[in-house]
């Protein structure tokens, strides 16, 4: 049986050799014997005709060999190449992918799958890439072959070989035996040899797949940043219009009324002193109302205490007058980069305002800490809570997320019905935190 498999493995070479011998014999018979009969020299070979025959054999041997090899491969093997031809062809394709083309641009995984299927006579062949903890099918031949994830122990007629390069498992080769033609040692050896040679192919393919995935992630990130900027611009425009309206309808009206009353008191001072004094006394309340209106307008603007003392004192100052008790705790005296302090401050203010308006809580806590290379601020309430997947959060959560995104931070929301809500902002620190 071993001798028979040896003959099968080398049948192309044997048949080509036999054909070459037959061709040489045919040339000798035609030229030497046939030519000798024509010239009347049949007793012994003619030296001149022997030289002509030798020259014809030398000139025609290589073209005859190529022709015989092509005919044998096409007619006898039905297009199936020998395992050694497959290995030779694949090695040549790695070394010379084509004029003006880089190896990575010629889809080597597909060529590998095709040559694997051709060399082994498999029903289909696949090339798989190992991407982290998962496998991805990089190529299949025929192109519509099955796309099941490779397994260490598959069906009896599916063969799997891992592709390893310098100890790194890059992927696997899978082939399906054809019906009624189980693989022998020759096919098994070919599969193992191709798996041993395919390391660089899969390494390049995995690099290309990782680069494509990173490009997709960057494109998504760019779209998210563009959308975030658009929301920030819209929010800034809306806030500017609100301030203009509040100034016109609130503080400006108080100041206009104050000016009118002061002029009235000035006019009455000479003709009705008592009435003038009463009018002036009434303006104390108008002044207080104007101050209150200006104080309301100043909320939401960049507070001076934030610049001078940091996030904790600024939050205690602005949140001290809210309708619910707000407990602000910071672990140590923490000063952060200016852009981080501003983002955390406005995030906390908006989170507390949302909790006061919508949570039904009895108390709110704000916890600020900085450790290592990140700062963390958490806002918790003991309100009614909700299911984040079922409710719309309006513009509030979007504004908070935009502020944290602007400093490359992350915002996490956790809420359950009856158990309150927690918002946590985590921001990386570009410079060292001073405590």
């Amino acid at each position: 049986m071993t001798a028979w498999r040896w003959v099968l493995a080398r049948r192309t070479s044997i048949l080509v050799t036999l054909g070459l011998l037959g061709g040489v014999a045919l040339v000798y018979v035609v030229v030497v014997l046939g030519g000798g009969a024509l010239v009347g020299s049949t007793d012994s070979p003619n030296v001149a005709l022997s030289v002509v025959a030798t020259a014809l054999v030398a000139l025609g041997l290589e073209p005859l060999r190529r022709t015989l090899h092509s005919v044998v491969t096409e007619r006898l093997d039905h297009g199936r190449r020998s395992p050694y031809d497959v290995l030779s062809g694949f090695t040549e394709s790695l070394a010379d992918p084509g004029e003006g083309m880089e190896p990575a641009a010629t889809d080597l995984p597909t060529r590998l799958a095709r040559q694997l299927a051709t060399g082994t006579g498999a029903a289909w062949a696949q090339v798989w890439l190992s991407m982290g903890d998962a496998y991805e099918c990089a190529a299949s031949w025929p192109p519509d072959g099955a796309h099941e994830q490779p397994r260490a122990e598959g069906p009896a007629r599916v063969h799997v070989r891992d592709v390893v390069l310098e100890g790194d498992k890059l992927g696997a080769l899978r082939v399906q035996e054809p019906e009624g033609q189980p693989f022998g040692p020759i096919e098994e050896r070919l599969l193992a040899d191709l798996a041993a040679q395919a390391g660089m192919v899969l390494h390049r393919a995995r690099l290309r797949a990782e680069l494509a995935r990173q490009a997709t992630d960057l494109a998504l990130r760019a779209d998210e940043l563009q959308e975030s900027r658009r929301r920030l611009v819209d929010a800034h425009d809306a806030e500017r219009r609100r301030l203009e309206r509040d100034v016109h309808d609130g503080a400006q009206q108080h100041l206009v009324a104050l000016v009118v009353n002061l002029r009235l008191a000035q006019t009455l001072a000479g003709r009705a002193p008592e009435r003038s004094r009463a009018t002036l006394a009434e303006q104390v309340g108008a002044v207080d109302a104007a101050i209150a209106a200006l104080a309301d307008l100043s909320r939401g603007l960049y507070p001076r205490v934030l610049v001078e003392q940091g996030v904790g004192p600024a939050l205690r100052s602005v949140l001290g007058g809210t309708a619910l008790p707000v407990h602000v705790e910071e672990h140590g005296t923490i000063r952060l980069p200016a852009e981080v302090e501003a983002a955390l401050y406005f995030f906390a203010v908006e989170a507390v305002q949302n909790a006061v308006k919508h949570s039904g809580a009895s108390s709110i806590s704000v916890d600020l800490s900085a450790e290592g290379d990140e700062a963390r601020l958490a806002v918790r309430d003991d309100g009614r809570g909700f299911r984040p997947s079922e409710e719309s959060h309006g513009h509030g959560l979007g504004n908070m997320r935009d502020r944290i995104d602007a400093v490359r931070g992350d915002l996490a929301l956790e809420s359950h019905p009856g158990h309150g809500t927690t918002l946590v902002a985590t921001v990386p620190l570009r410079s060292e935190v001073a405590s």
Side-chain angles (χ1 to χ4, degrees), residues 115-187:
Q115 296 204 28
L116 181 58
T118 303
T120 61
W124 50 256
Q126 297 172 343
V127 178
W128 287 78
L129 286 179
S130 174
M131 304 294 293
D133 296 332
Y135 279 89
E136 293 182 2
C137 186
S140 178
W141 193 267
D144 58 351
H147 281 212
E148 301 175 358
Q149 184 159 322
R151 292 168 290 181
E153 295 182 1
R157 295 169 57 245
V158 174
H159 299 261
V160 181
R161 291 294 181 275
D162 292 336
V163 178
V164 180
L165 180 64
E166 296 180 355
D168 183 15
K169 185 177 179 181
L170 301 175
L173 306 182
R174 299 180 73 228
V175 292
Q176 169 74 59
E177 292 180 355
E179 289 291 338
Q181 299 181 31
F183 282 178
I186 300 299
E187 289 78 11

Side-chain angles (χ1 to χ4, degrees), residues 272-347:
E274 293 296 331
R275 186 178 174 186
S276 175
R277 285 193 291 272
T279 301
L280 288 174
E282 292 173 356
Q283 302 317 303
V284 175
V287 171
D288 291 338
I291 293 174
L294 290 174
D296 290 338
L297 285 175
S298 66
R299 289 178 182 174
L301 301 179
Y302 207 93
R304 179 174 296 275
V305 67
L306 178 61
V307 178
E308 296 176 349
Q309 301 180 42
V311 179
L315 290 176
R316 292 189 187 94
S317 174
V318 73
L319 300 177
T322 57
L324 295 177
V326 180
H327 177 66
V328 179
E329 181 179 355
E330 59 178 326
H331 302 279
T333 304
I334 301 173
R335 292 312 307 267
L336 307 171
E339 66 274 12
V340 175
E341 289 190 336
L344 293 178
Y345 169 80
F346 287 112
F347 155 73

